[in-house]
Amino acid sequence: MTVAGNGKAGKRVYVETYGCQMNVYDSRAIEQLMADDGYEQVNRPDQADVMLLNTCAVRDNAETRVLGRIGQLQSHKRDREVILGIVGCMAQRLGDQLAAQKKAVDLVVGTDNYRQIPGMIAQARAGAPVQVQTQADGVTTYDVAPERDPLNNSHFISITRGCDYRCTFCVVPATRGILRAKDPRQVVREAEQVARSGGVEVTLLGQNVTAYRHPDASFAQLLTDVANVSGIRRVRFLTSHPTDFPTETLQAIADNVEVCPWLHMPVQSGSDRVLRRMKRGYRRAAYMELVHQARRMLPDVTFSTDMIVGFPGETEDDFEQTLDLMREVEFDSAFTFKYSPRPQTPADRLEDDVSEEAKGERLQRLLRVQDEVWQKKSQSLLGARCEVAIEAEDHKGLGYMKGRTRNNRKVLVPRSEKLNTGDEVLVRLTGVQATTFYAEPVGMLWKYEHVGG
Ligand code: SAH
Ligand code: F3S
């Protein structure tokens, strides 16, 4: 039998992550809290004394997957003493209900309660029955020391948690609570740590980063401060809300070469009628005006988006307006979803009146239009030059190095002795397959050197 505090045997934790980048960041924060309590991280549930699932609640199928996974993982409890904890958005949403439904679960921990996890585990080991902690405090944020990562080009820094919007389809305000901003000095400290540990790129994260506001910094100021951290060469951020995009923010992107001109800006629908029912807070024309303004101020800007099809009351005409908007904006990429009614959301009171079949058909048409748009656009880019940062030296063992342009396009360049991860190279685009370009190097822009300590 393994007991807490009884050497390494009882202190191995396995964390499995579902959902968005915020959850990826949170899982790192949880691993760090566990490490501070003497836990070693393992990559397989069969090696673990504690298994934690960091869950997503945004669509029904995200929750169904986790319920299935609990079923699989509980088999580990047959022959060993192992704690199973469900944390994150689904834990927050379901709380006691989840504990009652799944008897194998020992802990249910909501999004503001991760600091309690080590203590709850100790209690469970001392024989406590199932524990549920889902008290939302509206203030908690978590910090992650990036030194834990080896060099890569996408160190995440969470800058906001929660969301003050009430989009009628969205469970996030219920699971992550109200908007709170991390102190700008802490954000800058995390970026400095990234740079010290050899990282060159950070991605600022939040459900709604552009709504960042703190008594000591606006989002534009924060972008500028992070861009000015010595050693940081690229700053990305997501997700942007179209309503929180003042000219000042676009100006900060224009003024700081480190801030990458790529906006992930969910539009959800091209129909004003649907946008109103979603309570998104903008009309189609305002979204388009922002796209045009961004293109005027940031010549290389690219956009990606999220779209929902089959929202209650969406007609064929509404949907065609969405297709039309896709053609008009020419997004680089789009995450597309069938509307999934979520308990605790305002839209759940509306009748889910678009049939599953119609949702499926609209989704296929949406994907086809996006495909056409991208085919045309990507072909027109062949021959162009762009700056690529190398992110991986061997892409699937096929003789290519993988990199990204400043505006977030994926590019493969032939492997070369002269190139290493972190280098930036000027390339000419020579071909394209799906969303990945092939390119030939035409000049070296910047040679990566690990200057950190
Ligand atoms: N601002 C957040 C949005 C979170 S949810 C962010 O960080 O991205 C991500 C996307 O999931 C949303 O933009 C929306 O397109 C989709 N989504 C959210 N709730 C949904 C629902 N009930 N049904 C279908 N898709 C949904
Ligand atoms: Fe959800 Fe809308 Fe906020 S999509 S995360 S309520 S901006």
Side-chain angles (χ1 to χ4, degrees):
M1 195 174 102
T2 54
V3 182
N6 194 12
K8 286 245 155 168
K11 292 222 149 191
R12 289 169 306 187
V13 62
Y14 168 74
V15 183
E16 192 168 289
T17 309
Y18 294 79
C20 64
Q21 285 93 341
M22 292 292 289
N23 266 11
V24 174
Y25 182 89
D26 283 1
S27 286
R28 296 229 172 102
I30 292 167
E31 283 159 7
Q32 194 168 295
L33 288 164
M34 297 297 285
D36 293 346
D37 197 49
Y39 276 82
E40 181 197 346
Q41 198 185 316
V42 292
N43 296 323
R44 284 179 22 199
D46 61 347
Q47 299 170 333
D49 306 295
V50 175
M51 303 181 289
L52 300 174
L53 299 188
N54 189 3
T55 60
C56 171
V58 89
R59 279 169 296 277
D60 184 58
N61 55 11
E63 292 195 351
T64 310
R65 273 176 70 204
V66 169
L67 292 174
R69 188 64 175 145
I70 294 173
Q72 286 172 350
L73 290 179
Q74 69 192 34
S75 65
H76 294 285
K77 300 188 80 160
R78 253 183 252 137
D79 33 62
R80 286 183 297 134
E81 191 169 289
V82 48
I83 307 264
L84 175 58
I86 309 302
V87 314
C89 288
M90 186 178 171
Q92 183 73 41
R93 188 179 89 70
L94 292 172
D96 290 319
Q97 206 182 320
L98 183 59
Q101 187 186 346
K102 291 283 177 187
K103 298 291 179 212
V105 171
D106 302 292
L107 318 173
V108 177
V109 189
T111 47
D112 283 353
N113 304 96
Y114 299 153
R115 290 198 176 81
Q116 288 156 267
I117 293 175
M120 291 169 77
I121 291 170
Q123 296 266 335
R125 288 190 160 153
V130 59
Q131 300 163 72
V132 178
Q133 282 292 352
T134 53
Q135 187 73 38
D137 59 24
V139 292
T140 293
T141 59
Y142 302 101
D143 311 329
V144 175
E147 298 99 304
R148 292 168 46 79
D149 282 336
L151 167 70
N152 67 46
N153 287 52
S154 53
H155 294 262
F156 292 156
I157 301 180
S158 131
I159 66 163
T160 64
R161 289 180 76 77
C163 183
D164 282 348
Y165 282 87
R166 292 288 174 270
C167 303
T168 53
F169 53 80
C170 185
V171 79
V172 168
T175 59
R176 289 190 166 264
I178 57 170
L179 183 80
R180 66 216 76 164
K182 196 181 266 184
D183 188 307
R185 286 161 290 250
Q186 173 61 23
V187 176
V188 167
R189 262 196 304 276
E190 285 187 47
E192 286 168 348
Q193 281 175 325
V194 168
R196 256 202 312 281
S197 62
V200 288
E201 177 180 316
V202 294
T203 300
L204 307 182
L205 287 183
Q207 302 300 334
N208 184 359
V209 276
T210 38
Y212 180 92
R213 61 188 114 81
H214 186 278
D216 300 330
S218 62
F219 182 60
Q221 186 60 48
L222 187 71
L223 276 180
T224 307
D225 292 349
V226 173
N228 284 334
V229 168
S230 165
I232 294 297
R233 297 183 57 81
R234 289 185 174 193
V235 181
R236 301 182 196 274
F237 55 92
L238 78 166
T239 293
S240 299
H241 195 289
T243 305
D244 293 302
F245 229 113
T247 305
E248 182 202 27
T249 301
L250 289 173
Q251 194 60 50
I253 303 170
D255 289 345
N256 292 284
V257 285
E258 295 83 4
V259 181
C260 292
W262 162 56
L263 306 180
H264 180 65
M265 199 157 73
V267 60
Q268 315 294 2
S269 169
S271 154
D272 280 346
R273 216 176 63 85
V274 175
L275 289 173
R276 204 166 43 239
R277 287 158 68 90
M278 288 176 164
K279 288 214 164 59
R280 286 289 292 175
Y282 54 85
R283 300 288 169 88
R284 177 193 175 121
Y287 187 90
M288 288 311 306
E289 176 45 35
L290 182 56
V291 166
H292 294 313
Q293 191 190 7
R295 285 192 167 135
R296 283 194 299 273
M297 293 177 69
L298 312 165
D300 290 334
V301 72
T302 51
F303 299 92
S304 56
T305 198
D306 296 347
M307 289 288 194
I308 296 178
V309 300
F311 185 76
E314 184 188 73
T315 62
E316 176 61 24
D317 180 59
D318 292 321
F319 175 65
E320 278 173 17
Q321 292 182 49
T322 296
L323 295 181
D324 183 64
L325 180 131
M326 298 282 277
R327 293 195 186 95
E328 194 176 346
V329 179
E330 300 188 326
F331 294 105
D332 262 33
S333 62
F335 295 95
T336 53
F337 307 104
K338 289 192 242 177
Y339 171 68
S340 164
R342 307 309 294 134
Q344 293 166 312
T345 61
D348 197 32
R349 289 193 291 271
L350 305 172
E351 191 192 344
D352 183 19
D353 58 358
V354 180
S355 71
E356 187 56 30
E357 201 188 350
K359 283 179 188 169
E361 190 245 354
R362 286 179 192 173
L363 196 67
Q364 289 310 313
R365 283 161 67 199
L366 194 61
L367 291 171
R368 260 202 312 275
V369 168
Q370 176 55 24
D371 208 43
E372 280 163 26
V373 163
W374 178 246
Q375 288 273 349
K376 195 166 121 234
K377 184 175 198 172
S378 56
Q379 290 295 327
S380 76
L381 288 165
L382 297 184
R385 290 179 174 219
C386 49
E387 300 170 20
V388 168
I390 303 296
E391 297 187 353
E393 302 202 1
D394 191 11
H395 180 67
K396 298 181 181 163
L398 295 174
Y400 289 99
M401 302 173 100
K402 188 172 146 213
R404 265 191 299 169
T405 65
R406 298 176 49 75
N407 46 20
N408 211 37
R409 291 175 174 147
K410 284 173 280 180
V411 179
L412 297 180
V413 294
R415 277 190 80 173
S416 148
E417 304 266 293
K418 292 187 220 126
L419 284 179
N420 299 98
T421 304
D423 291 350
E424 272 171 57
V425 61
L426 187 67
V427 305
R428 196 177 69 84
L429 301 178
T430 53
V432 62
Q433 201 168 30
T435 54
T436 302
F437 287 98
Y438 290 84
E440 59 184 21
V442 290
M444 196 68 192
L445 290 169
W446 188 72
K447 191 78 196 143
Y448 175 78
E449 243 180 280
H450 189 157
V451 291

